[in-house]
Amino acid sequence: MKRYHVHTFGCQMNAHDSERIKGLLEDLGLGEAAAEEDADLIVFNTCTIREKPDQRLAAHLAQAKAVKAREPEKIIAVGGCFAEAQRERLFELYPFVDVAFGPGSISHLGDWLGAGGEGVARGRFGTGEERAFAADLPETRGRRFQAWVQVSMGCNSVCSYCIVPRVRGREVSRRPGEIVAEVVRLAGEGVQEVTLLGQNVNSWGRDLAPGIRTEFGELLRAVDSVDGIERIRFTSPHPKDFRDPVISAMAECVAVCEHTHLPLQSGSTRVLKRMRRTYDRERFVRLAEKLRGAIPDLALTTDLIVGFPGETERDFRQTVEAVKEVGFDGAFTFVYSPRAGTEAAAMPDQIPEDVKRERIERLVDVVQRVAHARNQERVGKLEEVLVEGPSRTDESVLRGRTRRNTTVNFRGTAAPGELVDVLVESATSMTLRGTEAAFVAAA
Ligand code: 5AD
Ligand code: SF4
């Protein structure tokens, strides 16, 4: 049996797409190799959101080149966002690559392999008309009780720093019937937690045919009514499209978790304008207050960029202040990275690297302090935890996540996939520690 190994870079959408790549390969009769050395086919599912993933990929591809020189029969495939962004140059840059495909044309890998690499175009990308939902391919899930569910592909926003619209194309919503049918099938297979995925989930449904045009709140309600689904998550919503029907669905649907990831990007209205985010600082803060007012105990996490072109010390301080004002439960912080072909990359007032570095260190410090204080408020409380398995650092301890999406390491005897109550005993900025309630009672 031939064997494959998939390397995944980037976001949850790529994690989802990789499960489809694996499903497709297994349908073709290939088996998974735990290590790259043992694989006949090596797939890189790539990301190009910042320069760092590009550099990591370059290092992996340099290794792949050496492997290919020693063992020319090995097949090297490059898919995902980097492949799409570099479609014109990919085979020039990396002539040893056998097959390439964009995020919208994963099935090309199957066609190419099915035809033994003969008579099929080397690359086929897919931001054009021929894009297809990865969700329509078979999947091989990482965990039996959790699943990604794709609700849309592409993005219609024009954020001036972001490469995603160029590599994933315009937004297309999946039909509600197909999404719900998939969730029903997943529930039947034992899935308890679904994460609905789209580049901007809150604009889902608006592009559908008039007869079935709908909005994301309705989808949350439909998924909530599926028996066996205990937890519903979604990512990412764009603050500009977070309307009341979604907030009320979140408040009323039992399975929808008390967490939302709401990318702020900058606390300065002036910078937000140049980013083309179409909301200002005040509107974001009001939205956060409204969400917290409607959903008790809501956890709010965010993405922040420092060093966007033209960002002054004053703009930066407004981001720091916004973190404190909103009280984020967590934040991913990024140094602005110019991406070829985006509007911001051509802006004249780029910020020097040392200034960016200094600002991100200050920001991380504040984010950690605020998140720690938020997590500290959970100490002494019981939290429902979905058990994922043993802790990564200590095998004798279990790990899982709360409904608020915080990782918990705890003492207990529960099995992966079980929902248990955990008494929280201590907190850091990123994790909680505790003991399974049944364990406490028994002791
Ligand atoms: N530079 C730095 N961070 C970026 N992001 C997107 N594009 C860039 C860029 N060019 C960040 C945003 C986004 C997250 C996924 O990555 O914060 O929300
Ligand atoms: Fe995900 Fe964006 Fe990276 Fe593509 S470029 S994998 S959409 S984060």
mmCIF file with all atom_site columns, all heavy atoms in Angstrom, residues 222-239:
data_model
loop_
_atom_site.group_PDB
_atom_site.id
_atom_site.type_symbol
_atom_site.label_atom_id
_atom_site.label_alt_id
_atom_site.label_comp_id
_atom_site.label_asym_id
_atom_site.label_entity_id
_atom_site.label_seq_id
_atom_site.pdbx_PDB_ins_code
_atom_site.Cartn_x
_atom_site.Cartn_y
_atom_site.Cartn_z
_atom_site.occupancy
_atom_site.B_iso_or_equiv
_atom_site.pdbx_formal_charge
_atom_site.auth_seq_id
_atom_site.auth_comp_id
_atom_site.auth_asym_id
_atom_site.auth_atom_id
_atom_site.pdbx_PDB_model_num
ATOM 1   N N   . ALA A 1 222 ? -30.632 26.105 13.423 1.00 0.00 ? 222 ALA A N   1
ATOM 2   C CA  . ALA A 1 222 ? -30.844 24.807 12.759 1.00 0.00 ? 222 ALA A CA  1
ATOM 3   C C   . ALA A 1 222 ? -29.847 23.767 13.280 1.00 0.00 ? 222 ALA A C   1
ATOM 4   O O   . ALA A 1 222 ? -30.209 22.615 13.550 1.00 0.00 ? 222 ALA A O   1
ATOM 5   C CB  . ALA A 1 222 ? -30.715 24.972 11.243 1.00 0.00 ? 222 ALA A CB  1
ATOM 6   N N   . VAL A 1 223 ? -28.609 24.175 13.456 1.00 0.00 ? 223 VAL A N   1
ATOM 7   C CA  . VAL A 1 223 ? -27.591 23.230 13.937 1.00 0.00 ? 223 VAL A CA  1
ATOM 8   C C   . VAL A 1 223 ? -27.858 22.881 15.402 1.00 0.00 ? 223 VAL A C   1
ATOM 9   O O   . VAL A 1 223 ? -27.698 21.736 15.831 1.00 0.00 ? 223 VAL A O   1
ATOM 10  C CB  . VAL A 1 223 ? -26.165 23.819 13.734 1.00 0.00 ? 223 VAL A CB  1
ATOM 11  C CG1 . VAL A 1 223 ? -25.109 22.916 14.361 1.00 0.00 ? 223 VAL A CG1 1
ATOM 12  C CG2 . VAL A 1 223 ? -25.876 23.993 12.241 1.00 0.00 ? 223 VAL A CG2 1
ATOM 13  N N   . ASP A 1 224 ? -28.326 23.867 16.151 1.00 0.00 ? 224 ASP A N   1
ATOM 14  C CA  . ASP A 1 224 ? -28.644 23.646 17.572 1.00 0.00 ? 224 ASP A CA  1
ATOM 15  C C   . ASP A 1 224 ? -29.728 22.589 17.745 1.00 0.00 ? 224 ASP A C   1
ATOM 16  O O   . ASP A 1 224 ? -29.762 21.880 18.758 1.00 0.00 ? 224 ASP A O   1
ATOM 17  C CB  . ASP A 1 224 ? -29.094 24.980 18.188 1.00 0.00 ? 224 ASP A CB  1
ATOM 18  C CG  . ASP A 1 224 ? -29.324 24.885 19.688 1.00 0.00 ? 224 ASP A CG  1
ATOM 19  O OD1 . ASP A 1 224 ? -28.340 24.615 20.407 1.00 0.00 ? 224 ASP A OD1 1
ATOM 20  O OD2 . ASP A 1 224 ? -30.470 25.063 20.137 1.00 0.00 ? 224 ASP A OD2 1
ATOM 21  N N   . SER A 1 225 ? -30.609 22.479 16.765 1.00 0.00 ? 225 SER A N   1
ATOM 22  C CA  . SER A 1 225 ? -31.726 21.536 16.909 1.00 0.00 ? 225 SER A CA  1
ATOM 23  C C   . SER A 1 225 ? -31.333 20.100 16.529 1.00 0.00 ? 225 SER A C   1
ATOM 24  O O   . SER A 1 225 ? -32.155 19.191 16.624 1.00 0.00 ? 225 SER A O   1
ATOM 25  C CB  . SER A 1 225 ? -32.927 22.004 16.085 1.00 0.00 ? 225 SER A CB  1
ATOM 26  O OG  . SER A 1 225 ? -32.604 21.883 14.716 1.00 0.00 ? 225 SER A OG  1
ATOM 27  N N   . VAL A 1 226 ? -30.089 19.888 16.109 1.00 0.00 ? 226 VAL A N   1
ATOM 28  C CA  . VAL A 1 226 ? -29.664 18.526 15.747 1.00 0.00 ? 226 VAL A CA  1
ATOM 29  C C   . VAL A 1 226 ? -29.350 17.739 17.025 1.00 0.00 ? 226 VAL A C   1
ATOM 30  O O   . VAL A 1 226 ? -28.512 18.162 17.832 1.00 0.00 ? 226 VAL A O   1
ATOM 31  C CB  . VAL A 1 226 ? -28.429 18.553 14.813 1.00 0.00 ? 226 VAL A CB  1
ATOM 32  C CG1 . VAL A 1 226 ? -27.941 17.129 14.531 1.00 0.00 ? 226 VAL A CG1 1
ATOM 33  C CG2 . VAL A 1 226 ? -28.752 19.287 13.512 1.00 0.00 ? 226 VAL A CG2 1
ATOM 34  N N   . ASP A 1 227 ? -30.011 16.611 17.208 1.00 0.00 ? 227 ASP A N   1
ATOM 35  C CA  . ASP A 1 227 ? -29.806 15.778 18.400 1.00 0.00 ? 227 ASP A CA  1
ATOM 36  C C   . ASP A 1 227 ? -28.364 15.291 18.480 1.00 0.00 ? 227 ASP A C   1
ATOM 37  O O   . ASP A 1 227 ? -27.807 14.847 17.472 1.00 0.00 ? 227 ASP A O   1
ATOM 38  C CB  . ASP A 1 227 ? -30.701 14.524 18.335 1.00 0.00 ? 227 ASP A CB  1
ATOM 39  C CG  . ASP A 1 227 ? -32.111 14.839 18.800 1.00 0.00 ? 227 ASP A CG  1
ATOM 40  O OD1 . ASP A 1 227 ? -32.296 15.931 19.382 1.00 0.00 ? 227 ASP A OD1 1
ATOM 41  O OD2 . ASP A 1 227 ? -33.003 14.014 18.540 1.00 0.00 ? 227 ASP A OD2 1
ATOM 42  N N   . GLY A 1 228 ? -27.788 15.346 19.649 1.00 0.00 ? 228 GLY A N   1
ATOM 43  C CA  . GLY A 1 228 ? -26.441 14.808 19.851 1.00 0.00 ? 228 GLY A CA  1
ATOM 44  C C   . GLY A 1 228 ? -25.358 15.875 19.774 1.00 0.00 ? 228 GLY A C   1
ATOM 45  O O   . GLY A 1 228 ? -24.246 15.665 20.239 1.00 0.00 ? 228 GLY A O   1
ATOM 46  N N   . ILE A 1 229 ? -25.669 17.034 19.170 1.00 0.00 ? 229 ILE A N   1
ATOM 47  C CA  . ILE A 1 229 ? -24.668 18.113 19.098 1.00 0.00 ? 229 ILE A CA  1
ATOM 48  C C   . ILE A 1 229 ? -24.747 18.908 20.393 1.00 0.00 ? 229 ILE A C   1
ATOM 49  O O   . ILE A 1 229 ? -25.728 19.602 20.660 1.00 0.00 ? 229 ILE A O   1
ATOM 50  C CB  . ILE A 1 229 ? -24.901 19.029 17.862 1.00 0.00 ? 229 ILE A CB  1
ATOM 51  C CG1 . ILE A 1 229 ? -24.770 18.225 16.563 1.00 0.00 ? 229 ILE A CG1 1
ATOM 52  C CG2 . ILE A 1 229 ? -23.928 20.223 17.876 1.00 0.00 ? 229 ILE A CG2 1
ATOM 53  C CD1 . ILE A 1 229 ? -23.404 17.599 16.309 1.00 0.00 ? 229 ILE A CD1 1
ATOM 54  N N   . GLU A 1 230 ? -23.705 18.777 21.211 1.00 0.00 ? 230 GLU A N   1
ATOM 55  C CA  . GLU A 1 230 ? -23.688 19.409 22.529 1.00 0.00 ? 230 GLU A CA  1
ATOM 56  C C   . GLU A 1 230 ? -23.048 20.788 22.504 1.00 0.00 ? 230 GLU A C   1
ATOM 57  O O   . GLU A 1 230 ? -23.305 21.613 23.365 1.00 0.00 ? 230 GLU A O   1
ATOM 58  C CB  . GLU A 1 230 ? -22.898 18.539 23.526 1.00 0.00 ? 230 GLU A CB  1
ATOM 59  C CG  . GLU A 1 230 ? -23.384 17.108 23.653 1.00 0.00 ? 230 GLU A CG  1
ATOM 60  C CD  . GLU A 1 230 ? -24.712 17.018 24.395 1.00 0.00 ? 230 GLU A CD  1
ATOM 61  O OE1 . GLU A 1 230 ? -25.067 17.990 25.086 1.00 0.00 ? 230 GLU A OE1 1
ATOM 62  O OE2 . GLU A 1 230 ? -25.382 15.976 24.264 1.00 0.00 ? 230 GLU A OE2 1
ATOM 63  N N   . ARG A 1 231 ? -22.124 20.974 21.547 1.00 0.00 ? 231 ARG A N   1
ATOM 64  C CA  . ARG A 1 231 ? -21.386 22.238 21.504 1.00 0.00 ? 231 ARG A CA  1
ATOM 65  C C   . ARG A 1 231 ? -21.261 22.730 20.073 1.00 0.00 ? 231 ARG A C   1
ATOM 66  O O   . ARG A 1 231 ? -20.863 21.970 19.188 1.00 0.00 ? 231 ARG A O   1
ATOM 67  C CB  . ARG A 1 231 ? -19.973 22.050 22.064 1.00 0.00 ? 231 ARG A CB  1
ATOM 68  C CG  . ARG A 1 231 ? -19.928 21.864 23.552 1.00 0.00 ? 231 ARG A CG  1
ATOM 69  C CD  . ARG A 1 231 ? -18.492 21.711 24.009 1.00 0.00 ? 231 ARG A CD  1
ATOM 70  N NE  . ARG A 1 231 ? -18.412 21.825 25.461 1.00 0.00 ? 231 ARG A NE  1
ATOM 71  C CZ  . ARG A 1 231 ? -17.296 22.028 26.118 1.00 0.00 ? 231 ARG A CZ  1
ATOM 72  N NH1 . ARG A 1 231 ? -16.148 22.136 25.473 1.00 0.00 ? 231 ARG A NH1 1
ATOM 73  N NH2 . ARG A 1 231 ? -17.299 22.132 27.432 1.00 0.00 ? 231 ARG A NH2 1
ATOM 74  N N   . ILE A 1 232 ? -21.573 24.019 19.895 1.00 0.00 ? 232 ILE A N   1
ATOM 75  C CA  . ILE A 1 232 ? -21.409 24.649 18.579 1.00 0.00 ? 232 ILE A CA  1
ATOM 76  C C   . ILE A 1 232 ? -20.458 25.832 18.742 1.00 0.00 ? 232 ILE A C   1
ATOM 77  O O   . ILE A 1 232 ? -20.663 26.683 19.598 1.00 0.00 ? 232 ILE A O   1
ATOM 78  C CB  . ILE A 1 232 ? -22.762 25.142 18.025 1.00 0.00 ? 232 ILE A CB  1
ATOM 79  C CG1 . ILE A 1 232 ? -23.749 23.973 17.911 1.00 0.00 ? 232 ILE A CG1 1
ATOM 80  C CG2 . ILE A 1 232 ? -22.574 25.829 16.665 1.00 0.00 ? 232 ILE A CG2 1
ATOM 81  C CD1 . ILE A 1 232 ? -25.186 24.419 17.656 1.00 0.00 ? 232 ILE A CD1 1
ATOM 82  N N   . ARG A 1 233 ? -19.419 25.836 17.917 1.00 0.00 ? 233 ARG A N   1
ATOM 83  C CA  . ARG A 1 233 ? -18.505 26.988 17.860 1.00 0.00 ? 233 ARG A CA  1
ATOM 84  C C   . ARG A 1 233 ? -18.513 27.511 16.438 1.00 0.00 ? 233 ARG A C   1
ATOM 85  O O   . ARG A 1 233 ? -18.954 26.818 15.517 1.00 0.00 ? 233 ARG A O   1
ATOM 86  C CB  . ARG A 1 233 ? -17.085 26.568 18.234 1.00 0.00 ? 233 ARG A CB  1
ATOM 87  C CG  . ARG A 1 233 ? -16.969 25.951 19.614 1.00 0.00 ? 233 ARG A CG  1
ATOM 88  C CD  . ARG A 1 233 ? -15.516 25.672 19.972 1.00 0.00 ? 233 ARG A CD  1
ATOM 89  N NE  . ARG A 1 233 ? -15.420 24.995 21.255 1.00 0.00 ? 233 ARG A NE  1
ATOM 90  C CZ  . ARG A 1 233 ? -15.506 25.608 22.435 1.00 0.00 ? 233 ARG A CZ  1
ATOM 91  N NH1 . ARG A 1 233 ? -15.711 26.918 22.486 1.00 0.00 ? 233 ARG A NH1 1
ATOM 92  N NH2 . ARG A 1 233 ? -15.404 24.933 23.558 1.00 0.00 ? 233 ARG A NH2 1
ATOM 93  N N   . PHE A 1 234 ? -18.019 28.718 16.250 1.00 0.00 ? 234 PHE A N   1
ATOM 94  C CA  . PHE A 1 234 ? -17.912 29.240 14.885 1.00 0.00 ? 234 PHE A CA  1
ATOM 95  C C   . PHE A 1 234 ? -16.731 30.183 14.811 1.00 0.00 ? 234 PHE A C   1
ATOM 96  O O   . PHE A 1 234 ? -16.362 30.831 15.787 1.00 0.00 ? 234 PHE A O   1
ATOM 97  C CB  . PHE A 1 234 ? -19.203 29.943 14.453 1.00 0.00 ? 234 PHE A CB  1
ATOM 98  C CG  . PHE A 1 234 ? -19.662 31.030 15.381 1.00 0.00 ? 234 PHE A CG  1
ATOM 99  C CD1 . PHE A 1 234 ? -19.200 32.336 15.233 1.00 0.00 ? 234 PHE A CD1 1
ATOM 100 C CD2 . PHE A 1 234 ? -20.568 30.747 16.405 1.00 0.00 ? 234 PHE A CD2 1
ATOM 101 C CE1 . PHE A 1 234 ? -19.620 33.331 16.087 1.00 0.00 ? 234 PHE A CE1 1
ATOM 102 C CE2 . PHE A 1 234 ? -20.988 31.752 17.275 1.00 0.00 ? 234 PHE A CE2 1
ATOM 103 C CZ  . PHE A 1 234 ? -20.516 33.053 17.116 1.00 0.00 ? 234 PHE A CZ  1
ATOM 104 N N   . THR A 1 235 ? -16.095 30.250 13.645 1.00 0.00 ? 235 THR A N   1
ATOM 105 C CA  . THR A 1 235 ? -14.981 31.179 13.457 1.00 0.00 ? 235 THR A CA  1
ATOM 106 C C   . THR A 1 235 ? -14.765 31.405 11.972 1.00 0.00 ? 235 THR A C   1
ATOM 107 O O   . THR A 1 235 ? -14.963 30.493 11.191 1.00 0.00 ? 235 THR A O   1
ATOM 108 C CB  . THR A 1 235 ? -13.727 30.641 14.178 1.00 0.00 ? 235 THR A CB  1
ATOM 109 O OG1 . THR A 1 235 ? -12.845 31.702 14.422 1.00 0.00 ? 235 THR A OG1 1
ATOM 110 C CG2 . THR A 1 235 ? -13.032 29.525 13.428 1.00 0.00 ? 235 THR A CG2 1
ATOM 111 N N   . SER A 1 236 ? -14.401 32.649 11.549 1.00 0.00 ? 236 SER A N   1
ATOM 112 C CA  . SER A 1 236 ? -14.394 33.831 12.402 1.00 0.00 ? 236 SER A CA  1
ATOM 113 C C   . SER A 1 236 ? -15.529 34.766 11.985 1.00 0.00 ? 236 SER A C   1
ATOM 114 O O   . SER A 1 236 ? -15.809 34.858 10.794 1.00 0.00 ? 236 SER A O   1
ATOM 115 C CB  . SER A 1 236 ? -13.102 34.607 12.176 1.00 0.00 ? 236 SER A CB  1
ATOM 116 O OG  . SER A 1 236 ? -12.026 34.043 12.807 1.00 0.00 ? 236 SER A OG  1
ATOM 117 N N   . PRO A 1 237 ? -16.110 35.455 12.935 1.00 0.00 ? 237 PRO A N   1
ATOM 118 C CA  . PRO A 1 237 ? -17.064 36.488 12.572 1.00 0.00 ? 237 PRO A CA  1
ATOM 119 C C   . PRO A 1 237 ? -16.329 37.798 12.306 1.00 0.00 ? 237 PRO A C   1
ATOM 120 O O   . PRO A 1 237 ? -15.305 38.066 12.926 1.00 0.00 ? 237 PRO A O   1
ATOM 121 C CB  . PRO A 1 237 ? -17.931 36.612 13.826 1.00 0.00 ? 237 PRO A CB  1
ATOM 122 C CG  . PRO A 1 237 ? -17.017 36.243 14.947 1.00 0.00 ? 237 PRO A CG  1
ATOM 123 C CD  . PRO A 1 237 ? -15.980 35.277 14.388 1.00 0.00 ? 237 PRO A CD  1
ATOM 124 N N   . HIS A 1 238 ? -16.819 38.609 11.383 1.00 0.00 ? 238 HIS A N   1
ATOM 125 C CA  . HIS A 1 238 ? -16.267 39.958 11.169 1.00 0.00 ? 238 HIS A CA  1
ATOM 126 C C   . HIS A 1 238 ? -17.136 40.917 11.982 1.00 0.00 ? 238 HIS A C   1
ATOM 127 O O   . HIS A 1 238 ? -18.360 40.869 11.858 1.00 0.00 ? 238 HIS A O   1
ATOM 128 C CB  . HIS A 1 238 ? -16.322 40.302 9.683  1.00 0.00 ? 238 HIS A CB  1
ATOM 129 C CG  . HIS A 1 238 ? -15.528 41.527 9.316  1.00 0.00 ? 238 HIS A CG  1
ATOM 130 N ND1 . HIS A 1 238 ? -15.704 42.735 9.947  1.00 0.00 ? 238 HIS A ND1 1
ATOM 131 C CD2 . HIS A 1 238 ? -14.548 41.720 8.396  1.00 0.00 ? 238 HIS A CD2 1
ATOM 132 C CE1 . HIS A 1 238 ? -14.861 43.625 9.416  1.00 0.00 ? 238 HIS A CE1 1
ATOM 133 N NE2 . HIS A 1 238 ? -14.150 43.025 8.473  1.00 0.00 ? 238 HIS A NE2 1
ATOM 134 N N   . PRO A 1 239 ? -16.522 41.776 12.800 1.00 0.00 ? 239 PRO A N   1
ATOM 135 C CA  . PRO A 1 239 ? -17.333 42.682 13.634 1.00 0.00 ? 239 PRO A CA  1
ATOM 136 C C   . PRO A 1 239 ? -18.343 43.499 12.824 1.00 0.00 ? 239 PRO A C   1
ATOM 137 O O   . PRO A 1 239 ? -19.422 43.810 13.318 1.00 0.00 ? 239 PRO A O   1
ATOM 138 C CB  . PRO A 1 239 ? -16.285 43.601 14.275 1.00 0.00 ? 239 PRO A CB  1
ATOM 139 C CG  . PRO A 1 239 ? -15.007 42.835 14.229 1.00 0.00 ? 239 PRO A CG  1
ATOM 140 C CD  . PRO A 1 239 ? -15.074 41.934 13.034 1.00 0.00 ? 239 PRO A CD  1
#
